[in-house]
Amino acid sequence: MVSMIKEHYITHLQENGYKCTPQRSVILSYFCQHKNKLISASTVRNDLEKDNWSISLDTIYRSLSLFSDVGLLGSTSLNGKRLFCLKNKLDHQNMFICTQCRTAKPLNFCPKGIVQSFFNDCLITSHKFEVYGLCPSCCK
């Protein structure tokens, strides 16, 4: 199942004109295995090193930035750290983020229309909607 998901994301990367290098493939596999988790670049590097992958932090940052730019990953800042999460869909995604375990759950609605009604004289060209709190597991 993970390989089918990964292939879908690799195809999207290639359709946007980018190669899937071995390093990018490993990083993408890592995110497919940690779906719905917000992860920092340093955590990716540390976890990959444990699995005997030697990928520089610069390469990881460049890959994460590329994946974000083409819509494979979402990113946010939490407590001063930039965190990344594999998108469940390759289009815009709003999310609930657990501030304790860093689980990200996609919201099944978009509030852009509501916000647009308050700013009817403005053109909204982009948005990001995140709700922070504790997931059911962390509330226990």
Side-chain angles (χ1 to χ4, degrees), residues 61-94:
Y61 271 115
R62 281 192 306 274
S63 296
L64 297 180
S65 180
L66 170 65
F67 293 165
S68 292
D69 289 347
V70 299
L72 301 179
L73 297 180
S75 70
T76 191
S77 291
L78 187 63
N79 299 326
K81 273 191 171 182
R82 187 162 182 213
L83 303 172
F84 300 87
C85 181
L86 187 69
K87 285 187 171 183
N88 292 326
K89 316 182 276 182
L90 293 176
D91 57 1
H92 178 75
Q93 189 170 309
N94 299 297

Side-chain angles (χ1 to χ4, degrees), residues 83-120:
L83 303 172
F84 300 87
C85 181
L86 187 69
K87 285 187 171 183
N88 292 326
K89 316 182 276 182
L90 293 176
D91 57 1
H92 178 75
Q93 189 170 309
N94 299 297
M95 13 174 121
F96 167 84
I97 297 170
C98 179
T99 55
Q100 188 166 324
C101 70
R102 295 185 179 169
T103 297
K105 295 181 180 185
L107 301 176
N108 60 2
F109 67 94
C110 181
K112 181 182 175 192
I114 296 168
V115 174
Q116 182 69 66
S117 69
F118 287 101
F119 299 102
N120 58 7

Side-chain angles (χ1 to χ4, degrees), residues 43-75:
T43 299
V44 172
R45 185 194 60 189
N46 293 340
D47 287 351
L48 291 179
E49 281 180 351
K50 290 175 190 172
D51 291 337
N52 295 317
W53 283 98
S54 180
I55 302 175
S56 74
L57 193 54
D58 284 345
T59 298
I60 291 171
Y61 271 115
R62 281 192 306 274
S63 296
L64 297 180
S65 180
L66 170 65
F67 293 165
S68 292
D69 289 347
V70 299
L72 301 179
L73 297 180
S75 70

